[in-house]
Amino acid sequence: MQSSHTGPALNTAAVTSAVLVLLGATLPAAVTVDTDSELSRFYRQRITWSACEGADMPRDLQCGKVTVPLDYARPGDGTLELAMARYRATGTSRGSVLLNFGGPGGAGVPQLATDGGKKFMHLTNHYDVVTFDPRGVGRSSPVSCGEGTEDAPAQQAPADATDPRTALEQTRETAERCARHSGPILPHIGTVDASRDLDVMRQALGDKKLNYLGFSYGTRLGAVYAAQFPEKVGRMALDGVDTLTEPLAEQGLSAARGQQIALEDFLNWCVKGASCPFGRDGRSARETVVRLVHSLDRNPLPTAGGPPFSGQDLVGAIGQALFSKQLWPTLEQGLSRLVKQSDPGDLMRFFAVGTALPYRGHPSGRLVRPGDVPADNLPAALVAINCADDPDRPSADRITRDIARLRDSYDKASPVFGRSRLSQVLLCYGRPKGTDFIRKQVKDVHTPKILLVGTRGDPATPYSWTVETARRLGSSAVVLDNRDEGHTGYAASRCVHGAVDSFLLDGSLPADGSSCGPGRSH
């Protein structure tokens, strides 16, 4: 799962912000929309596009909005506006392709605006390239835990085997604070609702079928749409494939293994160069990193005007840098400065967050201004959506009983990342159960072929999840094996980029199980 993150896709793993999530009844396996029902007014709308607000927005990027029900079970009980943006097709338009960049909690509009959307310009040969801020995210009624929680991504939930009940109580208190600040959208923030929003967007864009490119968490959203609206699926590509079945504790364990593999790939690269601060032996380098983390946890380094830099801060910085192979030289430089000068300054930039914004209260379904999005929106939404999508709620007694055993398993999976990932065990404690729709009903979809891209060295969405999700989706799934490092392949691999674009533009699919080799950067 994100996160995340942020980059082209976000890490969806452990974050400490906790949110009280209430989710409605499970929906049937496929949703049939009656255009004469209360939902018809949402399906009759069309989007009005205009210049995007903000001096830093590209001139050729257009912005708009779509209105959706707050609660699909009761469409008359309130509405939400969702922020959207597009680059218009430059060639003969075949409609739109919708992008979701991951998270959960990632706002699509600012992501598409980054670098003028250069990564996606080839798609404008035949498509309007469109993205959106999902419900509860970015400008679309953003959830928040209030002022002072904006640095939550850099802090791990307390998963202390010696005092788990205190940690659980802290998690519950955080959840209550998030619930107070987020307002009525919180019970309706999960992926099942967001998938229904996708279908309203599809219709508002004038498309008979949904053409879609999803990254990381966006692959979960795409898979849920395929289960709910199989007859509306057009060309769908999913890159950095999320799990649909693993409980949060198992997701954390899988992600710890994935991060450890990515770290070892980085260290094997590092020791081949003259600048590596860990010598020339990969095994010795791995042991040195573990000792460095433990040493900094015992004796954090002072920083200029901020909290001390601990071992878990180092873990967070390394984890962020592993998202892209292009960041490896910068990570090497930061580690060298830390080891040789006891200066964590370069590493701190990997997880630095923006200046805290004053909290201005929850909006009433209307878009908020870009400058009014709470600084903690990403972690608050990440936790809220993940918990809304997960039906498991182990009791305090069970967590207390299991935490020591789980810590051993996590440490064995990764002596570097295990401790931080263990916080996922606590992530949804005290919240009502989320939906079981994803785990039980998103499978054996009857849709056109769906392209799934899995990257072997992905630190956030392990390749095993691509194989697992392809098996669940059934004969519709076509897997492209990206034998490279980093989170997702589209932005980093020329081979993956070309395969995805060829599929979306021309319907040309690679053979199931075919692969892209390493080192073919885009």
Side-chain angles (χ1 to χ4, degrees), residues 76-88:
D77 283 2
T79 61
L80 301 171
E81 294 177 348
L82 306 182
M84 301 185 69
R86 73 172 181 180
Y87 287 106
R88 296 200 67 179

Side-chain angles (χ1 to χ4, degrees), residues 14-21 143-146 149 152-153 155-158 167-182 186 189 248 376-388 393 423-424 426-432:
V15 179
T16 62
S17 299
V19 184
L20 182 61
V21 175
V143 296
S144 173
C145 298
T149 60
Q155 302 172 354
Q156 296 301 331
L168 290 171
E169 183 57 32
Q170 291 173 354
T171 302
R172 185 193 295 276
E173 290 173 0
T174 303
E176 292 172 353
R177 180 176 182 179
C178 297
R180 288 196 301 271
H181 282 86
S182 292
L186 204 53
I189 196 178
L248 287 173
D376 75 318
N377 176 239
L378 191 157
L382 187 152
V383 175
I385 295 167
N386 279 339
C387 293
R393 294 297 183 271
S423 60
Q424 274 188 242
L426 310 182
L427 194 65
C428 301
Y429 175 73
R431 297 160 182 78

Side-chain angles (χ1 to χ4, degrees), residues 461-512:
T461 50
Y463 183 76
S464 60
W465 288 356
T466 301
V467 176
E468 165 202 301
T469 298
R471 188 180 300 119
R472 277 189 63 84
L473 294 181
S475 59
S476 294
V478 173
V479 172
L480 177 61
D481 180 357
N482 182 33
R483 298 178 179 271
D484 212 334
E485 288 84 29
H487 184 37
T488 72
Y490 187 82
S493 166
R494 182 177 292 115
C495 175
V496 171
H497 197 282
V500 170
D501 281 5
S502 292
F503 172 54
L504 292 173
L505 289 168
D506 306 319
S508 175
L509 271 169
D512 185 33

Side-chain angles (χ1 to χ4, degrees), residues 213-249:
L213 173 55
F215 300 98
S216 194
Y217 161 77
T219 70
R220 189 200 311 171
L221 178 58
V224 171
Y225 184 89
Q228 287 185 302
F229 301 96
E231 75 287 353
K232 298 297 184 182
V233 172
R235 294 173 184 170
M236 179 175 286
L238 309 177
D239 182 7
V241 181
D242 203 352
T243 180
L244 301 174
T245 59
E246 287 190 355
L248 287 173

Side-chain angles (χ1 to χ4, degrees), residues 353-412:
V353 295
T355 303
L357 298 176
Y359 186 72
R360 302 176 188 231
H362 179 77
S364 300
R366 309 233 3 183
L367 295 185
V368 302
R369 294 173 60 86
D372 291 340
V373 177
D376 75 318
N377 176 239
L378 191 157
L382 187 152
V383 175
I385 295 167
N386 279 339
C387 293
D389 290 355
D390 188 271
D392 296 325
R393 294 297 183 271
S395 66
D397 287 343
R398 179 176 173 181
I399 293 174
T400 301
R401 184 175 64 248
D402 291 349
I403 195 75
R405 174 184 58 79
L406 287 170
R407 169 166 280 183
D408 289 342
S409 297
Y410 274 65
D411 284 343
K412 197 170 294 183

Side-chain angles (χ1 to χ4, degrees), residues 248-260:
L248 287 173
E250 292 300 318
Q251 290 177 33
L253 197 58
S254 296
R257 293 191 190 101
Q259 283 187 298
Q260 185 66 30

